[in-house]
């Protein structure tokens, strides 16, 4: 029997810094087309006045957006910043690191991308975006190994450290070179080293420990940064909620099919079922537990690509603040839906243990049919939650 492969749990967002808030607003304006593609950002003084920030803070914002390839510097004028639309290569670069750490090989990535596109049809733009990102994330794909420097020593240092993590030279848990060593190796200042580390820290790639014995340690990245890039692409391409949920359903059905086909170890799923029963009357808590059951199923399926994809989709949902149920649903109706979900979870475990692929597929196809989601023709908006902060 197969056992579940480890997967980083979905991380809840922390309170954003001023830099992150300003960067996110500029991202939103770029993704929604407020700036012409390959046009220029407003002048620095105008942005400083608009956001009420200092020039050093604005520089840090620009460096974050440079790393994401949403802007680049004019080589003839340091303060002229050119805008670029969301790029598949950037999303593929982020996905490559996440998939590689989960052990996903090129063959599995290719097969899964083709399978999901077949399941929902070539006209589903969400499936097209995901397939492009996955294929770009292969070791033989077109994703750049690291963000290029745009004439910035800080960006170049962050890019080089990122490349060392992607290649495995700096695996999770490893300490980065000391500040003094990086200053000597790269010919940069102490401030520039710290700014580069802040970029990597914002990406969830390092944890910086303060104090005399502190330093930067490579972390196991969660799905958040990659989900953010994918979310930019989904919104930029005009993907609707209907398309997104159709693809999400296809992903979930495949996890159930693989789990039943492999008759995987269901001990973790049983543990989730036990937790389901402790949240009676708590709609929010019970919903969270139900989501965790689906997350555990994805991890138990034996497919690193599907497990990562599920985690990405959940992060995108958190970013877009899509409600699980209509706000006007009364508690009794919500409880009824959750009770039905709990029943389906138990039934799925039975089908997995019996190795009954057909019943698992049919059950999960019906279970994952979106319910109570008005306005599915709306374009997904990954900036809704940040706009409320």
């Amino acid at each position: 029997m197969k056992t579940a492969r480890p997967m980083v749990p979905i991380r809840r967002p922390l309170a954003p810094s001023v830099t992150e808030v300003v960067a996110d607003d500029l991202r939103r304006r770029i993704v929604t087309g407020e700036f012409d593609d390959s046009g220029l950002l407003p002048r620095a003084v105008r942005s400083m006045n608009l956001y009420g920030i200092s020039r050093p803070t604005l520089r840090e914002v620009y460096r974050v957006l440079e790393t994401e390839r949403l802007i680049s510097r004019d080589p003839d004028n340091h303060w002229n910043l050119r805008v670029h639309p969301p790029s598949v290569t950037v999303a593929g670069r982020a996905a490559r690191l996440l998939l590689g750490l989960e052990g996903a090989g090129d063959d599995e990535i290719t097969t899964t991308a083709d399978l999901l596109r077949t399941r929902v049809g070539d006209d589903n733009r969400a499936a097209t975006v995901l397939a492009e990102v996955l294929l770009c994330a292969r070791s033989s794909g077109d994703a750049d190994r690291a963000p290029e420097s745009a004439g910035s020593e800080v960006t170049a240092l962050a890019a080089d450290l990122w490349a060392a993590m992607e290649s495995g030279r700096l695996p999770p848990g490893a300490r980065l070179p000391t500040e003094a060593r990086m200053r000597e190796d790269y010919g940069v200042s102490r401030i520039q080293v710290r700014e580069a580390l802040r970029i990597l820290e914002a990406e969830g790639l390092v944890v910086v420990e303060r104090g005399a014995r502190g330093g930067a340690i490579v972390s196991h990245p969660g799905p958040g940064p990659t989900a953010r890039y994918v979310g930019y692409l989904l919104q930029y391409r005009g993907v609707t909620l209907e398309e997104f949920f159709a693809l999400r359903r296809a992903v979930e059905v495949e996890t159930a099919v693989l789990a039943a086909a492999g008759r995987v170890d269901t001990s973790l799923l049983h543990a989730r079922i036990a937790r389901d029963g402790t949240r009676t009357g708590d709609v929010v808590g019970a919903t969270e537990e139900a989501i965790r059951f689906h997350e555990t199923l994805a991890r138990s399926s034996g497919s690193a690509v599907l497990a990562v994809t599920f985690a990405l989709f959940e992060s995108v949902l958190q970013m877009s603040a899509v409600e699980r149920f209509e706000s006007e649903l009364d508690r009794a109706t919500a409880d009824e839906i959750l009770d039905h979900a709990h029943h389906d979870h138990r039934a799925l475990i039975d089908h997995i243990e019996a190795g009954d692929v057909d019943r698992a597929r049919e059950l999960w196809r019906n279970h994952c049919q979106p319910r109570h989601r008005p306005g599915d023709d709306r374009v997904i908006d990954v900036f809704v939650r940040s706009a409320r902060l």
Side-chain angles (χ1 to χ4, degrees):
M1 293 174 57
K2 295 180 181 178
T3 57
R5 69 171 72 233
M7 176 68 188
V8 175
I10 299 167
R11 297 177 180 177
R12 298 297 179 187
L14 301 175
S17 66
V18 173
T19 298
E20 290 169 333
V21 170
V22 175
D24 212 43
D25 188 65
L26 286 173
R27 291 184 189 109
R28 176 188 59 79
R29 296 169 70 185
I30 292 170
V31 169
T32 56
E34 184 173 329
F35 306 116
D36 294 335
D37 293 350
S38 298
L40 296 177
L41 284 182
R43 291 288 184 178
V45 172
R46 182 178 175 185
S47 294
M48 289 161 57
N49 291 334
L50 175 64
Y51 295 110
I53 58 176
S54 65
R55 189 176 292 271
T57 299
L58 185 61
R59 285 197 189 103
E60 191 170 338
V61 169
Y62 287 164
R63 282 163 184 150
V64 170
L65 298 181
E66 276 186 275
T67 303
E68 296 177 0
R69 301 280 188 91
L70 292 177
I71 63 173
S72 63
R73 294 182 184 274
D74 186 333
D76 297 325
N77 188 326
H78 183 73
W79 284 102
N80 275 352
L81 296 158
R82 199 162 296 280
V83 174
H84 302 287
S87 167
V88 169
T89 59
V90 174
R93 171 175 61 84
R96 172 182 287 163
L97 182 58
L98 192 59
L99 288 165
L101 290 172
E102 296 302 328
D106 283 1
D107 289 344
E108 182 187 352
I109 292 173
T110 302
T111 301
T112 304
D114 292 342
L115 176 67
L116 293 176
R117 195 152 44 181
T118 300
R119 291 286 187 265
V120 298
D122 290 336
D123 59 340
N124 185 301
R125 286 170 292 187
T128 298
V129 169
L130 179 64
E132 289 177 2
V133 172
L134 289 177
L135 295 177
C136 205
R138 297 175 301 179
S139 61
S140 58
D142 296 328
D144 297 325
R145 289 286 174 177
E148 293 176 353
S149 169
S152 164
E153 293 86 351
V154 172
T155 307
L157 174 55
D160 196 67
L161 293 172
W162 192 99
M165 297 174 202
E166 195 274 339
S167 68
R169 288 184 286 120
L170 285 174
R175 282 189 174 273
L176 266 61
T178 64
E179 183 180 283
R181 178 65 180 271
M182 285 190 279
R183 288 169 56 192
E184 180 181 347
D185 289 350
Y186 293 94
V188 294
S189 68
R190 175 180 298 176
I191 292 176
Q192 289 172 318
V193 170
R194 292 179 179 178
E195 287 178 345
L197 293 180
R198 277 197 291 271
I199 290 174
L200 297 175
E201 191 174 24
E203 291 292 310
L205 298 178
V206 302
V207 175
V208 179
E209 297 181 344
R210 314 298 176 187
R213 295 178 175 239
I217 301 174
V218 180
S219 64
H220 195 308
T226 305
R228 187 167 66 240
Y229 297 136
V230 173
Y232 299 160
L233 279 170
L234 292 172
Q235 185 167 346
Y236 184 73
R237 297 279 187 90
V239 172
T240 65
L241 289 172
E242 181 179 10
E243 292 173 307
F244 178 82
F245 282 116
L247 178 59
R248 183 175 183 269
R249 182 190 186 199
V251 169
E252 296 229 49
V253 171
E254 287 305 318
T255 64
V257 167
L258 288 176
R263 299 184 70 176
V264 300
D265 182 1
T266 57
S267 58
L268 293 177
L269 295 173
H270 277 293
R272 281 295 171 196
I273 284 286
R275 291 180 62 87
D276 276 354
T278 66
R279 308 306 290 263
T280 303
D282 178 5
V283 174
V284 174
T287 302
E288 289 294 324
E289 290 300 332
I291 294 168
R292 293 297 170 259
F293 180 91
H294 289 241
E295 179 189 355
T296 303
L297 174 64
R299 296 203 313 268
S300 301
S301 69
S303 169
V305 179
L306 290 179
V308 168
T309 301
F310 177 85
L312 293 178
F313 283 2
E314 278 303 308
S315 291
V316 170
L317 283 176
Q318 290 176 22
M319 293 163 61
S320 59
V322 175
E323 300 296 334
R324 301 290 176 177
F325 302 110
E326 292 182 60
S327 58
E328 60 267 25
L329 279 179
D330 59 32
R331 180 177 296 276
T333 304
D335 282 338
E336 181 181 346
I337 293 173
L338 290 168
D339 286 343
H340 181 73
H342 185 67
H343 176 271
D344 284 354
H345 293 173
R346 288 190 176 280
L348 180 65
I349 291 177
D350 291 341
H351 297 331
I352 292 173
E353 291 176 343
D356 195 329
V357 172
D358 292 337
R359 287 188 175 180
R361 178 187 291 110
E362 187 63 24
L363 172 68
W364 223 234
R365 181 183 289 130
N366 293 328
H367 177 84
C368 295
Q369 179 68 34
R371 298 183 180 93
H372 306 293
R373 298 191 188 279
D376 280 354
D377 59 342
R378 293 172 299 165
V379 173
I380 195 165
D381 184 355
V382 298
F383 298 98
V384 170
R385 188 173 297 278
S386 63
R388 295 176 180 175
L389 295 173

